[in-house]
Amino acid sequence: MAIVSAQSLLRTVSLFHLTLSYYLFTSPSTIASQNLVYVLGAAMEIPDPPISLSTPSPASTLAALFLALLAISDLTSSGLPEEVGSHHWSSQAPVRLVFFFAVTGYSYAGKPGGLWGGKAGTRAEVLCNSVVFTWGFMEMLWWFWIYITLRDEKRELMVKIQERRKVEDDRL
């Protein structure tokens, strides 16, 4: 049995997305100056973002809107009944996990001196920075945790269904 339910994790990650959206919309420098972003970026030798995040830009505003849409959509979906929500999130969690694994891997492999060795002034430089890497890495951790919790809850639900069927069969 999981310590935290999948529904709680989904609501938490949705609120995290709303918070991130707010900071991207109002003060993107707050995100770029977080200790976690600095520590992960320095540990993986990934450079800071090439663009200034000191003031909101059209790109940060668009990212904020997408994160807000994702958060609201996920909050709505997290309120589904258990059987329906289980099917929905059992298909969403692995897809999002693989996506964020790809984002994190690309961000790491495209860094200067990395496997794909992003060069200064290229388009890859925009995605191969400490902010994108940290965001992808944290999302990957969240979705892995959600995926494992969903599998555990699904197994427990199947055991309950089997016990219920056994009791019904014994009655007949």
Side-chain angles (χ1 to χ4, degrees), residues 90-154:
S90 292
S91 63
Q92 285 291 309
V95 171
R96 292 185 188 195
L97 178 62
V98 168
F99 175 78
F100 287 114
F101 183 78
V103 167
T104 305
Y106 181 81
S107 183
Y108 179 73
K111 69 178 182 172
L115 182 63
W116 297 320
K119 296 176 182 143
T122 63
R123 291 189 185 261
E125 185 181 58
V126 177
L127 288 178
C128 302
N129 62 65
S130 59
V131 173
V132 173
F133 178 82
T134 303
W135 172 67
F137 185 74
M138 295 306 293
E139 288 281 344
M140 188 176 63
L141 290 177
W142 274 108
W143 286 106
F144 182 72
W145 190 8
I146 291 169
Y147 176 70
I148 295 299
T149 305
L150 282 168
R151 283 186 49 202
D152 189 38
E153 288 178 359
K154 189 174 185 177

Side-chain angles (χ1 to χ4, degrees), residues 6-39:
Q7 296 301 324
S8 296
L9 289 172
L10 290 166
R11 288 184 181 109
T12 303
V13 79
S14 296
L15 293 175
F16 171 73
H17 287 152
L18 273 177
T19 304
L20 197 60
S21 173
Y22 171 78
Y23 281 113
L24 277 173
F25 189 69
T26 59
S27 175
S29 62
T30 305
I31 295 168
S33 64
Q34 290 296 310
N35 289 337
L36 183 63
V37 173
Y38 175 74
V39 168

